[in-house]
Amino acid sequence: MGDVLEDVVDHLACPVCRAGLALAERVVRCPHGHAFDVARQGYVSLLTGSGGAGTADTPAMVAARERFLAAGHYAPLAERVTRLAAELIGAAAAGPDAGAGAGGRRLIADAGAGTGYLLARVLDGTIPQVAGLALDISKHAIKRAARAHPRIGAVVADVWRPIPVRDRRAVLVMNAFAPRNGAEFARILAPGGTLLVVTPAPGHLGDLIGALGLLTVDQDKDRRLAAALADHFTQVGEVAVETTMTLGHDAVEAVVAMGPSAWHTDPDTLRRRIANLPEECSVPGLFRITLWKPIR
């Protein structure tokens, strides 16, 4: 079924020729004949060429993420992002040229949406005239995102390439724990729109890092983020979110398996180390939300 794409297809651009796209039954097609099949789960892949998925989330990583997030461990972060998004969308949508599609819906684009957890909660907390576009290079994640909310359209895409969205269409671009393409984010933002970036803060996951041999948050991450966006954006806001998560062994294994440490940790070694932890661990969840406006 392709109906989940109906609210966003007018915002999409053909990845081959950049023309607009339209939905016809189980195919998304541009006027020049480039066509892309809609999967039975309701998503469409707009990846082109022979490039591989690289470090796209695997089925195991996606399952771990869905299990961990469904337990509510990141709920305080989701609630804060939702409040910010509602304020930003309300301000942007009041403008005369705020990127409404043919159906009148404004667009939130989530670049690196994963399973759609954060985007779904933002849509629940914003006006119903907003649709969400989940973009991720992992088809395994996008399959979940396509079912995460009735107003999410899900697209397999690589944010390092030209994003398959038409110019100046998104009232909000979200980017949580994912790669950032400043030039493309600025291009797809509508006038008055905002880029919202979520990153882990130093100290995130606390003592689990040392006990389990995980990757640490780069102490220079803030400077690198600013440098990566400086050519196209100006920072206009920052919010810290701090919470304490109570994690049992299964949740500890899931939080490791869903993130970048999954690529660098031997599963058997990890399980042995987790077995030596207390039955429940109090773990800090430390996040930084930054807001950015494009330089026009």
Side-chain angles (χ1 to χ4, degrees), residues 144-166:
R144 311 283 182 115
R147 304 192 302 266
H149 195 280
R151 283 185 280 128
I152 286 180
V155 173
V156 180
D158 184 353
V159 301
W160 290 121
R161 302 185 191 181
I163 295 173
V165 174
R166 298 169 75 174

Side-chain angles (χ1 to χ4, degrees), residues 112-272:
T115 61
Y117 167 83
L118 199 57
L119 180 57
R121 275 138 193 86
V122 167
L123 289 172
D124 278 339
T126 55
I127 57 176
Q129 291 76 26
V130 175
L133 173 62
L135 299 159
D136 203 285
I137 197 171
S138 169
K139 69 177 183 180
H140 309 293
I142 282 297
K143 286 179 183 178
R144 311 283 182 115
R147 304 192 302 266
H149 195 280
R151 283 185 280 128
I152 286 180
V155 173
V156 180
D158 184 353
V159 301
W160 290 121
R161 302 185 191 181
I163 295 173
V165 174
R166 298 169 75 174
D167 293 354
R168 299 192 168 203
R169 288 302 184 108
V171 293
L172 179 68
V173 173
M174 292 168 40
N175 176 258
F177 316 115
R180 288 166 290 277
N181 186 335
E184 282 294 285
F185 292 171
R187 179 185 64 79
I188 69 174
L189 270 170
T194 306
L195 169 64
L196 185 154
V197 178
V198 182
T199 53
H204 180 60
L205 300 184
D207 292 341
L208 287 186
I209 301 295
L212 303 180
L214 309 181
L215 299 176
T216 60
V217 175
D218 184 357
Q219 298 294 318
D220 203 29
K221 193 177 188 70
D222 292 350
R223 186 198 62 78
R224 290 193 298 105
L225 171 62
L229 296 176
D231 288 345
H232 304 282
F233 286 92
T234 299
Q235 185 175 340
V236 296
E238 180 175 339
V239 176
V241 178
E242 300 182 0
T243 186
T244 300
M245 304 177 290
T246 301
L247 306 183
H249 286 185
D250 287 347
V252 170
E253 185 171 351
V255 77
V256 177
M258 75 184 200
S261 288
W263 298 103
H264 305 278
T265 308
D266 174 69
D268 291 335
T269 302
L270 176 63
R271 291 189 187 98
R272 287 197 298 271

